[in-house]
């Protein structure tokens, strides 16, 4: 199941250009992000999968806006005319946060080809009949955003190095402990390993800070 709930909670509705999600100014979405972390196996509102293996966690695919374009649409101080090819450090930061969330969530991670290189379709969502200039992968752009590409490589390495992320059993939820940050736009949790002797870490502390301030947390003992 491609989880639209995860996608929209992180970055906003795919059908409304300026609708924000958790990372880009949306309000009161912390609970939905927590559900996304558990691959919606927490038995909250909505569908209840039998295990994380039934869920594909993602924020962009071939349909609708690319992640880069969607984030440009939701900028707080948007220019009258968006330049989809202009470098934008704020959007790059949000892109990294979006990727960090679904890569460190249960389920099967998926991302659109080129997302790791700030892929743009010039703001066109339904591009099935658009020319090749819109739909093609720009290798020049991927090289230009090497820091973003390297960030994705790092996330893949972390996920491969911590086997608990790929657990297909619902019992893995017992290894996740959410931390009450008492902060808006912040979600934090501790994730214990699943006993795999190959794991370099016994547990991870993961924090998604979509606010504009520094957050200090005291991990669980």
């Amino acid at each position: 199941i491609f989880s639209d709930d995860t996608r929209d909670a992180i970055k906003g509705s795919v059908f409304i250009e300026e609708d924000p999600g958790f990372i880009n100014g949306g309000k009161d979405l912390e609970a939905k992000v927590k559900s996304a972390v558990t691959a919606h196996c927490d038995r909250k509102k909505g569908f209840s999968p039998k295990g994380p293996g039934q869920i594909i966690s993602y924020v962009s695919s071939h349909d609708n806006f690319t992640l880069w374009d969607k984030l440009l649409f939701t900028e707080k101080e948007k220019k009258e005319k968006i330049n989809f090819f202009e470098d934008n450090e704020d959007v790059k930061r949000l892109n990294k946060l979006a990727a960090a969330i679904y890569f460190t969530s249960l389920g099967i991670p998926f991302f659109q080809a080129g997302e790791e290189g700030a892929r743009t379709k010039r703001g066109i969502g339904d591009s099935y009949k658009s020319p090749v200039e819109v739909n093609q992968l720009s290798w020049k752009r991927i090289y230009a955003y090497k820091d973003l590409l390297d960030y994705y490589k790092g996330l893949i390495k972390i996920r491969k190095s911590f086997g608990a992320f790929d657990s297909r059993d619902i019992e893995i939820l017992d290894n996740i402990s959410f931390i009450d940050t008492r902060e808006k736009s912040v979600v934090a949790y501790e994730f214990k390993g699943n006993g795999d002797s190959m794991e370099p870490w016994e547990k991870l502390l993961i924090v998604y800070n979509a606010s504009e301030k520094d957050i200090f947390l005291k991990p669980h003992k």
Side-chain angles (χ1 to χ4, degrees), residues 25-135:
K27 304 299 182 183
D28 301 321
L29 293 169
E30 294 82 9
K32 289 186 177 181
V33 170
K34 290 179 180 179
S35 286
V37 167
T38 69
H40 305 282
C41 295
D42 53 0
R43 299 294 186 258
K44 301 295 183 181
K45 293 181 180 179
F47 62 92
S48 297
K50 295 180 179 179
Q54 291 187 321
I55 296 298
I56 295 176
S57 299
Y58 80 114
V59 293
S60 73
S61 65
H62 63 284
D63 287 327
N64 311 116
F65 305 120
T66 67
L67 176 59
W68 185 263
D69 291 352
K70 170 64 181 183
L71 294 176
L72 280 171
F73 282 130
T74 58
E75 276 195 293
K76 293 180 180 178
E77 297 179 3
K78 187 180 67 175
K79 299 176 182 178
E80 291 185 6
K81 185 176 182 180
I82 296 176
N83 184 342
F84 294 99
F85 298 97
E86 184 179 39
D87 193 14
N88 188 311
E89 288 298 324
D90 288 336
V91 171
K92 190 188 301 182
R93 175 178 55 82
L94 295 175
N95 189 312
K96 290 179 178 179
L97 181 55
I101 294 175
Y102 74 81
F103 264 104
T104 55
S105 294
L106 296 177
I108 303 169
F110 169 97
F111 61 98
Q112 180 184 22
E115 182 186 295
E116 74 281 23
R119 183 177 183 175
T120 178
K121 292 195 294 184
R122 308 178 188 183
I124 299 172
D126 196 8
S127 64
Y128 74 97
K129 58 182 179 180
S130 297
V132 66
E133 289 80 12
V134 172
N135 285 308

Side-chain angles (χ1 to χ4, degrees), residues 5-221:
D5 288 357
T6 292
R7 178 196 66 197
D8 293 351
I10 293 174
K11 67 180 178 65
S13 171
V14 297
F15 302 112
I16 305 173
E17 291 181 1
E18 299 179 8
D19 179 62
F22 172 79
I23 66 169
N24 47 355
K27 304 299 182 183
D28 301 321
L29 293 169
E30 294 82 9
K32 289 186 177 181
V33 170
K34 290 179 180 179
S35 286
V37 167
T38 69
H40 305 282
C41 295
D42 53 0
R43 299 294 186 258
K44 301 295 183 181
K45 293 181 180 179
F47 62 92
S48 297
K50 295 180 179 179
Q54 291 187 321
I55 296 298
I56 295 176
S57 299
Y58 80 114
V59 293
S60 73
S61 65
H62 63 284
D63 287 327
N64 311 116
F65 305 120
T66 67
L67 176 59
W68 185 263
D69 291 352
K70 170 64 181 183
L71 294 176
L72 280 171
F73 282 130
T74 58
E75 276 195 293
K76 293 180 180 178
E77 297 179 3
K78 187 180 67 175
K79 299 176 182 178
E80 291 185 6
K81 185 176 182 180
I82 296 176
N83 184 342
F84 294 99
F85 298 97
E86 184 179 39
D87 193 14
N88 188 311
E89 288 298 324
D90 288 336
V91 171
K92 190 188 301 182
R93 175 178 55 82
L94 295 175
N95 189 312
K96 290 179 178 179
L97 181 55
I101 294 175
Y102 74 81
F103 264 104
T104 55
S105 294
L106 296 177
I108 303 169
F110 169 97
F111 61 98
Q112 180 184 22
E115 182 186 295
E116 74 281 23
R119 183 177 183 175
T120 178
K121 292 195 294 184
R122 308 178 188 183
I124 299 172
D126 196 8
S127 64
Y128 74 97
K129 58 182 179 180
S130 297
V132 66
E133 289 80 12
V134 172
N135 285 308
Q136 69 183 359
L137 285 173
S138 170
W139 294 106
K140 289 183 178 179
R141 191 167 176 85
I142 290 176
Y143 281 112
Y145 285 87
K146 184 178 183 303
D147 61 329
L148 185 59
L149 173 64
D150 288 342
Y151 190 84
Y152 274 72
K153 288 181 178 179
L155 291 173
I156 293 171
K157 185 176 181 180
I158 289 173
R159 190 171 182 101
K160 285 185 174 181
S161 300
F162 196 70
F165 280 125
D166 290 326
S167 175
R168 300 292 185 257
D169 300 323
I170 199 167
E171 287 77 16
I172 195 65
L173 267 67
D174 295 335
N175 295 35
I176 292 178
S177 299
F178 285 100
I179 299 171
D180 183 7
T181 66
R182 300 186 181 182
E183 297 284 352
K184 292 291 187 180
S185 301
V186 178
V187 170
Y189 74 97
E190 286 187 350
F191 194 6
K192 295 181 181 178
N194 59 358
D196 189 338
S197 60
M198 298 298 291
E199 287 184 351
W201 310 293
E202 293 182 2
K203 62 181 177 180
L204 300 181
L205 171 62
I206 298 170
V207 183
Y208 313 133
N209 183 5
S211 72
E212 296 181 353
K213 60 183 179 180
D214 294 335
I215 301 297
F216 298 92
L217 300 176
K218 186 176 181 181
H220 292 164
K221 294 182 179 180

